[in-house]
């Protein structure tokens, strides 16, 4: 960390800061010019991040050189993390195709979609049992009954299942029924939940918050890894911008950036990113081109009657066609569905 002092800062102010840093256990290096003094601060990341020096007298600017995350960074681990989920995996060249409805609605819906997406090449089944809805009057999901239907459909089709955890109090219950716990965009910075998931032995699918920066996503993933759980999959699902034609704006540069910055697998959700059925296929192909390790796509056997996110859901023939269109490129790169 660099503390840049105001022009002609007094020796008293400089000494006050140096004393404070030494007391906290950090080392300091002074660069003193005629006008400016810069204090270089060296210490453990944990220590540096507890030091809030911005408000001290005479301070002009504090520049943090260390990243706020460590375990998720490529500096810490060069090789790609491969997250194994049941009979499949994601990362390190293994491609995940996660498909299924936004929300679990019935046994019939789930078994139909599970078998169909499996036949088309999906590697995991998704389905929300606890739904984060903007309106309290919208369908909130089937809860525990939904979890059971998801599990049954996944087992019948031979697919591991992914579902969202909305409340940390449901963690144990959901972990009993699901193979991957999805942290939704709205909970990306629910730090208590991330702490709890860090203690669990279940892969976590961490979605990017609606207005979260790349660094904030990585810092949230760091919470889970810090707790001991190394199985985190990041998901770019679009961010809020001024554009209204699409539901969100798919940030594919973030996918490429994540692949440089972190060893964790990165997947893309073109469904929530665009909100439009007609954009899912091209954006899926673009995601693969950008280096994504997988896709999570909403598929419903009858989108017109879906209780949640029908307009962005593919029907089964559309998903089949999309999955087929991805295969040649994935095979070419040695990836597999
Ligand atoms: C979902 O996957 O159904 C969902 C609600 O996604 P997000 O948290 O990205 O909005
Ligand atoms: Mn949805």
């Amino acid at each position: 960390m660099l503390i840049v002092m105001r022009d002609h800062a007094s020796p008293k102010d400089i000494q006050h800061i140096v004393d404070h840093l030494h007391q906290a256990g950090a080392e300091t290096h002074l660069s003193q010019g005629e006008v400016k003094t810069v204090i270089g601060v060296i210490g453990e990341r944990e220590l540096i991040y507890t030091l809030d020096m911005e408000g001290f007298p005479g301070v002009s600017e504090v520049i943090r050189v260390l990243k706020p995350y460590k375990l998720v960074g490529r500096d810490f681990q060069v090789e790609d993390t491969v997250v194994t989920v049941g009979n499949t995996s994601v990362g390190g060249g293994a491609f995940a195709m996660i498909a299924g409805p936004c929300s679990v609605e019935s046994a019939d819906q789930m078994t139909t979609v599970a078998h169909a997406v499996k036949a088309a090449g999906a590697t995991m089944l998704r389905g929300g049992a606890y739904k984060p809805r903007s309106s309290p009057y919208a369908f909130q999901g089937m809860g525990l009954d939904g979890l059971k239907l998801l599990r049954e459909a996944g087992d019948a089709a031979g697919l591991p299942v992914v579902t969202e955890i909305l409340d940390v109090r449901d963690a144990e219950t959901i972990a009993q029924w699901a193979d991957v716990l999805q942290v939704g965009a709205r909970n990306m910075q629910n730090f208590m939940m991330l702490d709890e998931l860090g203690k669990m032995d279940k892969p976590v699918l961490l979605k990017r918050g609606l207005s979260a920066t790349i660094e904030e996503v990585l810092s949230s993933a760091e919470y889970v890894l810090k707790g001991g759980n190394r199985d985190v999959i990041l998901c770019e699902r679009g961010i809020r911008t001024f554009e209204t034609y699409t539901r969100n704006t798919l940030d594919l540069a973030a996918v490429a950036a994540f692949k440089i910055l972190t060893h964790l697998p990165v997947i893309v959700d073109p469904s929530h990113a665009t909100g439009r059925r007609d954009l899912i296929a091209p954006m899926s192909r673009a995601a693969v081109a950008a280096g994504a390790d997988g896709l999570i796509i909403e598929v419903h056997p009858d989108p017109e009657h879906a209780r949640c996110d029908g307009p962005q859901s593919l029907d089964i023939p559309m998903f089949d066609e999309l999955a087929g269109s991805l295969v040649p490129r994935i095979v070419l790169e040695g990836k597999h569905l």
Side-chain angles (χ1 to χ4, degrees), residues 102 126 131 247 272 298 308-309 312:
C102 180
R126 65 151 287 155
K131 294 306 305 174
R247 183 171 174 181
H272 293 89
E298 287 185 341
C308 184
D309 285 349
Q312 68 193 33

Side-chain angles (χ1 to χ4, degrees), residues 166-242:
L166 261 193
D167 187 324
V168 69
R169 289 169 295 185
D170 297 325
E172 292 299 331
T173 310
I174 299 179
Q176 269 172 34
W177 297 95
D179 301 296
V180 178
L181 303 184
Q182 174 179 329
V183 176
R186 291 152 194 83
N187 264 316
M188 190 207 83
Q189 286 188 316
N190 183 336
F191 301 119
M192 275 172 66
M193 175 154 16
L194 298 173
D195 268 341
E196 213 49 50
L197 295 175
K199 293 184 217 144
M200 295 179 72
D201 187 21
K202 276 278 167 184
V204 172
L205 171 56
L206 179 65
K207 297 189 105 184
R208 183 179 187 179
L210 273 70
S211 58
T213 63
I214 289 170
E215 189 169 278
E216 284 166 345
V217 178
L218 294 171
S219 300
S220 286
E222 183 84 5
Y223 269 84
V224 183
L225 268 74
K226 190 166 179 283
N229 186 351
R230 298 290 165 106
D231 290 335
V232 175
I233 305 160
L234 302 181
C235 180
E236 162 58 35
R237 48 78 72 208
I239 47 174
R240 258 216 185 149
T241 67
F242 52 83

Side-chain angles (χ1 to χ4, degrees), residues 4-15:
V4 182
M5 301 300 291
R6 290 210 185 105
D7 292 359
H8 306 291
S10 72
K12 184 169 157 269
D13 285 348
I14 295 169
Q15 195 55 48

Side-chain angles (χ1 to χ4, degrees), residues 48 84 92 100 119 152 155 178 255 261 296 335:
I48 298 290
T84 301
E152 274 166 29
D155 286 349
V255 175
L261 295 169
I296 179 164
K335 294 184 176 176

Side-chain angles (χ1 to χ4, degrees), residues 250-268:
L250 179 57
D251 182 8
L252 285 179
V255 175
F258 282 138
K259 293 301 296 173
I260 294 168
L261 295 169
T262 179
H263 49 83
L264 297 173
V266 181
I267 69 167
V268 168

